[in-house]
Amino acid sequence: GELFELSAPPSCDTLGQDQYRTFENDLFGVEPVRLMEYNQNIHRMISWIRPDDYSSSELDCIRKKEVKLPELRDRFLKIASDPEASGQVLLVLMKMK
């Protein structure tokens, strides 16, 4: 029932596309959490991440972030830097608290 808007884009958003309707991803630092990704039926945020879409400067920014789950961030960075993993798409499910 509440409507709100964030005032600044999440960090590492070099294009400024995610300024509105998102939360900063402080769990593992990859991709902001978009409100439209919430699935009410399973009480989860559902998103897809394509590691190939990230530039080296964006990956460096993600690497430097303070996050609650650095092991997940590091797993993502390993996948993103592995040429064998080219073309992978990661499914992310997050429970809202």
Side-chain angles (χ1 to χ4, degrees), residues 23 29 34 83:
F23 293 105
R34 292 171 182 82

Side-chain angles (χ1 to χ4, degrees), residues 29-93:
V30 181
E31 286 286 314
V33 179
R34 292 171 182 82
L35 297 176
M36 68 183 187
E37 295 172 342
Y38 183 69
N39 184 307
Q40 179 174 305
N41 296 327
I42 61 171
H43 306 290
R44 301 284 190 279
M45 304 299 283
I46 304 171
S47 64
W48 301 92
I49 297 176
R50 291 177 173 79
D52 289 347
D53 290 348
Y54 290 87
S55 69
S56 59
S57 64
E58 290 170 316
L59 293 175
D60 287 341
C61 181
I62 291 167
R63 187 174 288 109
K64 294 174 187 173
K65 276 186 170 183
E66 291 289 327
V67 294
K68 294 178 182 174
L69 301 170
E71 61 277 0
L72 288 180
R73 178 201 53 212
D74 295 345
R75 282 177 60 194
F76 168 80
L77 291 169
K78 184 176 179 180
I79 291 168
S81 64
D82 183 358
E84 297 283 323
S86 178
Q88 295 293 322
V89 178
L90 306 175
L91 172 65
V92 179
L93 296 173

